[in-house]
Amino acid sequence: MDNRTNLDDYLAGLGISDADESAPLPPAPEVAAPASHALEAAHEDPRAVLERFLKGLTSRIDPELSVTVREGEDALEAEISGENAARLAGRDGRTLGAIEVIAYTVLAKQAGRSDLRVRVDVGGFRRRQADTLSKLAERLAVQVAKSGEAHELQPMPAADRRVIHIALKEHPDVMTESIGEGSARRLIIRPRHG
């Protein structure tokens, strides 16, 4: 069991904190940057920072996992792959969402880039989820167009709402809007008038 009692100490082991690393860590092959380099990382390439963080994290979870990071149109996109990668998604993608939040925080702290979005996929989970949501959006669009009545979906994360907004953006018969606040924010598909 890990004897570190403070989150900063644990994060230092992943190369993301300025905390003292006096307690020896289990070896992680070429991925975790020592905390003494945290200030130097402030000028480092965001892609390298994200890759180092995710490799440090995954090496402690399952050394067989691999990480690939690339620059997308509007975000840094990372793919974690391996035999057991899909387990990292967690229930309803919650663990994956937490990994994205921490990765974003790491980029803001180490690369000074709070403007960059981070998308992480594990074992194709996000891709399958986006396909499922796009198909759902199309089915609901047909239903709304036929009935002429709006359809309100259950509250969902921003990333899921975004997939549906994009899927129906050019649809000739329906339009989408998000309503509500915080975790209660939901999407409505309405007939397009005129």
Side-chain angles (χ1 to χ4, degrees):
M1 184 71 181
D2 200 325
N3 65 355
R4 285 172 269 166
T5 58
N6 161 325
L7 180 59
D8 282 337
D9 291 341
Y10 184 75
L11 294 177
L14 295 175
I16 51 178
S17 175
D18 297 330
D20 179 25
E21 283 190 79
S22 57
L25 296 170
E30 310 175 40
V31 293
S36 62
H37 293 216
L39 293 177
E40 295 172 22
H43 302 289
E44 194 173 346
D45 173 43
R47 186 173 168 264
V49 170
L50 180 61
E51 187 171 358
R52 184 178 61 244
F53 164 69
L54 290 174
K55 284 183 176 182
L57 178 68
T58 58
S59 71
R60 284 166 173 77
I61 295 170
D62 181 351
E64 299 298 315
L65 296 175
S66 63
V67 174
T68 306
V69 177
R70 69 179 188 84
E71 292 185 37
E73 290 178 24
D74 62 343
L76 285 178
E77 299 175 354
E79 174 72 32
I80 300 172
S81 54
E83 187 176 331
N84 297 316
R87 291 177 28 200
L88 272 180
R91 186 176 187 170
D92 299 326
R94 290 180 189 159
T95 304
L96 183 53
I99 291 171
E100 285 181 340
V101 169
I102 295 169
Y104 171 81
T105 303
V106 168
L107 278 180
K109 183 174 183 178
Q110 287 198 347
R113 295 292 307 267
S114 61
D115 61 321
L116 276 177
R117 292 178 54 174
V118 175
R119 281 194 289 271
V120 180
D121 197 1
V122 290
F125 175 84
R126 291 266 192 236
R127 190 172 37 257
R128 288 188 305 276
Q129 185 180 33
D131 289 344
T132 300
L133 287 171
S134 293
K135 289 175 185 172
L136 172 67
E138 287 299 326
R139 283 195 312 268
L140 291 174
V142 168
Q143 178 184 334
V144 168
K146 281 184 180 179
S147 72
E149 295 179 15
H151 183 90
E152 186 173 318
L153 284 84
Q154 294 294 320
M156 63 178 62
D160 292 351
R161 289 193 314 273
R162 184 173 187 267
V163 169
I164 294 174
H165 281 304
I166 290 172
L168 298 179
K169 181 178 177 183
E170 303 294 326
H171 197 285
D173 301 321
V174 299
M175 54 189 248
T176 60
E177 73 174 297
S178 291
I179 62 167
E181 297 296 324
S183 62
R185 196 153 172 84
R186 57 204 177 281
L187 190 134
I188 297 179
I189 302 173
R190 298 185 187 281
R192 192 180 295 269
H193 299 294

